[in-house]
Amino acid sequence: MKKRYLFSLVALSVANACQAASYPTPLGPSQTDFGGAGLLQTPTARMAKEGEFSFNYRDNDQYRFYSISVQPMPWLETTVRYTDVRTRKYSNDPSFSGDQTYKDKSFDVKLRLWEEGYWLPEMSVGMRDIGGTGLFDGEYLVATKAWGPFDFTLGMGWGYLGNSGDVRNPFCDASDRFCTRNNEHAATGGTVDLGDSFRGPAAIFGGVEYQTPWQPLRLKLEYEGNDYQGDFAGKLKQDSKFNFGAVYRVTNWADVNMSYERGNTFMAGFTLRTNFNELKPYYAEQSMPVYQPEPQGRELQQDVVANQLSELEDKAGFTAPKIQVKDNTLYMTGTQSKYRYSEDGVVRANIILMNHLPEGVDTLAVTETRYNLPQVTTKTDVSSLRSQLEGYPLGHEQTLQQKRLEPLLPENTDQGYYIEDDRLSFSLSPTLTQSVGGAESFYMYQIGLLGSANLWVTDHLLTSGGVFVNLANNYGRFNYTAPPPDSQLPRVRTHIREYVGNDVYLNDLQANYFQSFGDGIYGQVYGGYLESMFGGVGAEMLYRPLDTDWAVGVNANWVKQRDWDDMMRFADYDVVTGHITGYWKPPFADDVLVALSVGQYLAKDKGATIDLSKRFDSGVVAGVYATFTDVTREEYGEGSFTKGFYISIPLELMTTSPSRSRTRIGWTPLTRDGGQMLSRKYQLYGLTSDRDVRFR
């Protein structure tokens, strides 16, 4: 009997090993109908790879789901979703919203509690529809364990995920208040109310995802805990609690999904994905300067330095470079305008300077500036750099003697050789203004051209302006020409329909005076038409110690609202607005920036804005923000508070040459008047990014 059990165990182990070997490696977690890693209607404990960005679309007879899921951290999944309720109109007033169907906005989050082990399953906890109307709100605890080509999931859900109520809520044993749940949906939406979390009926859900021998195809079987008796789309018939589906990987960036759910409904859709950590720029040939030393004499030779200055622009990316020798130090100063990581430019500049090094120089001091504000000096020991460039003998490698310091400039900066920067510059760029999820149209846009000009009057005084030309827009559908009936705040942003009605207008025209006070202290004063809706005067100060994880800034402004009928004039409304902002990069969260601003906003409401952003290896930055002020939900109106997210993309990912330029795509669920900041054109924290070696 013992031998029989032993042989059975060996046979089972061999069979399992052979079975695992015959199946391809799983393609990683796939997305649910709602967005986020999971099965069909229900989540799993799995997380996508850090940096993954997924756009998901699913469609059935009652709902269309549009969602974006981002994996900012290995243990954190975030999802933003729009749900088109096909069975309901946006409002009961056709003159306001026409035939548009109802659109619901929601935000989901999932946290991994621990990773899968040999015996333990992976475990996660999550919440759906945070800060929305609560049509699909729910919470869950879920565990997932892999066995060969199978990925098994078992979880417990509350709210939308637990409407069946087929098990007793275990939290009822702790308190009776967990036994009931308020299922009334928020009238204005946008609220974050966690008081009903893990309350009310609970249900078990689970399923399995099967990786077939044909790698592009995966199959899903799911048992869900929702009974669909209280759906916003109507009481839906459920013939079966089992759902079946398939995922086909068309290419490494696209999946096609099909499923049969509730025993009577087909669902179909797709997922488009990329990974922000894995995106790479594809440059045309950008050869590194070659180390070919031809030393100069004690004095700089004009023709040699002229060639060096040209190389510093062309091969090291420094605009308006300047070379000067003082005592035994060669100083080079310029604006790094080409390489996103400024140390790439410093490496190239050092090689160019070493090729024609004057006699007696033992130190290189490369100083980076931006908007004529000195940022940082990289000081390098010449003998150490020469040894590195010539190559160390095997086994005698040494560390390069180099350090970053507060800007070092020679006492007499008027001496030396330089290429003068252009005082006057022009640019022409396309612009896109957009909003998603409005009552009049799901997607509203304005496409135009912005022509800009900059003139440096002195080394510190910059004048700049921009003219906007409207090419196309559908903001004519925007119905907020009268004050929003559900808001009691001054109209500082909801006049947008009147502003975009101008086909050509002066977008901004201002003067800025920039000044560096040394030791990481920077300042600016400015005045003019500061943005498309406001003009006035203001000032900003920033303290940003070199290569630290924190900074603090303050700005104060007096502004008047521009007249939307004649944008060269001003309306009657004026306000003093400003904020104190702290910036912090937590040491326990790689490449995460936390910014907290406290002050008074354009509608004279007072409060705070929290902005959390994650920078990925490709340079893409994804962020989310929320503003909470002293106005009540009723005073604010629909949305309850200002929030949104954005993605900032380096343009070099879309071009064939290095670039420090970026483009930003933002999403705000609803533009209202509360919690609105002045859109300042120049902000010192962004202008001093070279002071942080890690964040650019």
Side-chain angles (χ1 to χ4, degrees), residues 60-73:
N60 68 15
D61 292 338
Q62 295 81 34
Y63 297 112
R64 293 189 186 97
F65 298 106
Y66 306 85
S67 64
I68 289 175
S69 186
V70 181
Q71 190 78 33
M73 308 294 286

Side-chain angles (χ1 to χ4, degrees), residues 331-648:
Y331 296 90
M332 195 288 287
T333 305
T335 298
Q336 178 50 248
S337 57
K338 189 174 184 179
Y339 295 101
R340 177 161 50 89
Y341 294 100
S342 62
E343 52 264 36
D344 294 343
V346 172
V347 170
R348 292 167 176 265
N350 278 340
I351 296 175
I352 293 169
L353 298 175
M354 288 289 290
N355 278 340
H356 302 283
L357 196 66
E359 181 183 340
V361 170
D362 59 20
T363 304
L364 301 180
V366 176
T367 301
E368 300 168 68
T369 66
R370 186 159 301 278
Y371 284 80
N372 291 325
L373 297 173
Q375 307 270 309
V376 59
T377 293
T378 302
K379 185 177 180 181
T380 308
D381 180 76
V382 165
S383 61
S384 176
L385 179 58
R386 182 182 291 114
S387 298
Q388 184 189 73
L389 293 173
E390 292 176 350
Y392 298 108
L394 186 63
H396 295 273
E397 294 80 3
Q398 299 178 17
T399 302
L400 177 64
Q401 300 301 304
Q402 183 180 81
K403 54 186 176 180
R404 287 164 52 93
L405 307 169
E406 289 291 341
L408 297 176
L409 298 174
E411 294 180 2
N412 191 344
T413 58
D414 294 332
Q415 297 179 356
Y417 295 93
Y418 59 91
I419 295 178
E420 188 170 3
D421 198 6
D422 293 330
R423 292 282 180 176
L424 180 63
S425 61
F426 301 91
S427 65
L428 184 66
S429 59
T431 64
L432 172 64
T433 303
Q434 56 187 341
S435 62
V436 180
E440 302 87 343
S441 178
F442 179 63
Y443 180 71
M444 300 182 76
Y445 67 90
Q446 181 185 50
I447 300 173
L449 288 175
L450 182 63
S452 302
N454 295 326
L455 173 64
W456 284 97
V457 180
T458 71
D459 287 344
H460 298 280
L461 179 59
L462 171 66
T463 58
S464 61
V467 175
F468 181 84
V469 178
N470 176 48
L471 298 180
N473 75 77
N474 68 345
Y475 274 93
R477 302 178 184 177
F478 197 82
N479 290 325
Y480 276 143
T481 54
D486 59 346
S487 175
Q488 304 173 32
L489 296 173
R491 297 188 63 192
V492 297
R493 291 300 185 201
T494 52
H495 277 298
I496 183 173
R497 195 248 187 251
E498 290 92 330
Y499 283 106
V500 300
N502 295 280
D503 289 331
V504 180
Y505 58 85
L506 186 67
N507 186 70
D508 62 277
L509 180 64
Q510 64 185 80
N512 282 69
Y513 188 89
F514 300 99
Q515 181 66 54
S516 170
F517 298 97
D519 295 325
I521 301 175
Y522 297 88
Q524 65 164 326
V525 293
Y526 44 86
Y529 296 111
L530 302 179
E531 53 149 285
S532 61
M533 297 186 187
F534 285 89
V537 295
E540 181 187 14
M541 294 289 291
L542 175 74
Y543 177 53
R544 185 172 189 170
L546 182 65
D547 290 341
T548 60
D549 290 334
W550 63 275
V552 62
V554 58
N555 71 86
N557 314 272
W558 175 82
V559 293
K560 290 198 71 173
Q561 191 169 37
R562 297 175 67 179
D563 190 326
W564 46 90
D565 292 324
D566 182 358
M567 294 183 65
M568 300 301 293
R569 303 175 62 182
F570 289 96
D572 293 334
Y573 183 78
D574 67 273
V575 60
V576 173
T577 179
H579 293 81
I580 298 173
T581 303
Y583 306 89
W584 181 46
K585 296 181 287 295
F588 53 82
D590 290 342
D591 291 338
V592 170
L593 174 64
V594 180
L596 177 64
S597 299
V598 179
Q600 178 161 289
Y601 296 84
L602 289 173
K604 299 182 181 179
D605 48 335
K606 301 175 180 64
T609 297
I610 181 74
D611 187 308
L612 303 174
S613 60
K614 163 75 175 183
R615 180 190 172 281
F616 298 94
D617 292 346
S618 63
V620 172
V621 175
V624 61
Y625 63 90
T627 298
F628 304 94
T629 69
D630 57 357
V631 300
T632 65
R633 297 176 182 176
E634 292 73 23
E635 291 173 318
Y636 184 94
E638 183 181 358
S640 299
F641 65 96
T642 295
K643 64 274 189 183
F645 81 89
Y646 57 89
I647 297 175
S648 176

Side-chain angles (χ1 to χ4, degrees), residues 123-165:
M123 192 79 179
S124 295
V125 60
M127 304 183 74
R128 280 186 179 172
D129 208 349
I130 305 172
T133 55
L135 302 186
F136 305 99
D137 65 328
E139 306 78 47
Y140 57 89
L141 285 167
V142 61
T144 302
K145 188 75 175 74
W147 184 72
F150 298 96
D151 209 35
F152 294 96
T153 290
L154 181 64
M156 179 177 290
W158 292 259
Y160 192 78
L161 289 162
N163 279 337
S164 294

Side-chain angles (χ1 to χ4, degrees), residues 40-312:
L40 300 170
Q41 290 282 308
T42 62
T44 65
R46 298 300 185 199
M47 295 282 176
K49 192 175 181 181
E50 183 181 6
E52 183 164 307
F53 171 92
S54 299
F55 171 78
N56 309 291
Y57 171 75
R58 301 292 188 273
D59 190 348
N60 68 15
D61 292 338
Q62 295 81 34
Y63 297 112
R64 293 189 186 97
F65 298 106
Y66 306 85
S67 64
I68 289 175
S69 186
V70 181
Q71 190 78 33
M73 308 294 286
W75 46 267
L76 174 63
E77 174 189 275
T78 59
T79 302
V80 174
R81 179 176 55 261
Y82 269 100
T83 303
D84 180 2
V85 185
R86 306 177 71 170
T87 61
R88 288 180 178 254
K89 297 296 184 184
Y90 196 98
S91 75
N92 295 323
D93 185 359
S95 65
F96 179 61
S97 57
D99 292 331
Q100 186 183 185
T101 52
Y102 186 86
K103 305 297 190 299
D104 178 68
K105 303 174 286 286
S106 53
F107 176 72
D108 305 345
V109 63
K110 180 167 71 175
L111 300 171
R112 184 170 62 198
L113 301 179
W114 61 76
E115 292 188 75
E116 180 179 10
Y118 186 79
W119 295 109
L120 282 178
E122 191 156 321
M123 192 79 179
S124 295
V125 60
M127 304 183 74
R128 280 186 179 172
D129 208 349
I130 305 172
T133 55
L135 302 186
F136 305 99
D137 65 328
E139 306 78 47
Y140 57 89
L141 285 167
V142 61
T144 302
K145 188 75 175 74
W147 184 72
F150 298 96
D151 209 35
F152 294 96
T153 290
L154 181 64
M156 179 177 290
W158 292 259
Y160 192 78
L161 289 162
N163 279 337
S164 294
D166 54 15
V167 297
R168 174 178 169 80
N169 185 346
F171 294 110
C172 286
D173 295 332
S175 173
D176 289 342
R177 62 189 178 92
F178 283 100
C179 298
T180 59
R181 185 184 187 97
N182 179 13
N183 290 318
E184 293 183 5
H185 306 308
T188 59
T191 60
V192 177
D193 186 359
L194 305 181
D196 280 319
S197 299
F198 300 98
R199 293 188 180 188
I204 296 296
F205 65 85
V208 59
E209 181 170 330
Y210 169 61
Q211 172 65 66
T212 70
W214 185 31
Q215 190 177 41
L217 181 64
R218 285 167 289 174
L219 304 178
K220 297 182 177 183
L221 170 64
E222 167 187 83
Y223 177 87
E224 61 174 323
N226 187 10
D227 59 9
Y228 296 94
Q229 298 306 292
D231 258 54
F232 189 69
K235 186 176 180 180
L236 304 181
K237 184 179 180 182
Q238 186 182 48
D239 294 328
S240 173
K241 295 179 72 69
F242 287 94
N243 302 326
F244 306 86
V247 182
Y248 178 74
R249 175 65 56 90
V250 179
T251 181
N252 60 357
W253 51 266
D255 287 347
V256 173
N257 303 73
M258 292 191 67
S259 59
Y260 187 66
E261 303 179 7
R262 304 200 305 271
N264 53 38
T265 301
F266 283 99
M267 178 84 80
F270 60 86
T271 294
L272 306 178
R273 67 167 55 81
T274 188
N275 192 293
F276 290 151
N277 276 329
E278 298 173 358
L279 293 175
K280 304 291 183 184
Y282 294 95
Y283 300 150
E285 182 62 28
Q286 298 289 327
S287 58
M288 181 74 70
V290 179
Y291 178 55
Q292 296 176 333
E294 296 179 10
Q296 301 183 65
R298 182 66 184 176
E299 300 295 327
L300 293 175
Q301 301 174 31
Q302 183 173 349
D303 57 338
V304 174
V305 176
N307 290 332
Q308 282 184 305
L309 292 171
S310 296
E311 283 190 280
L312 288 169

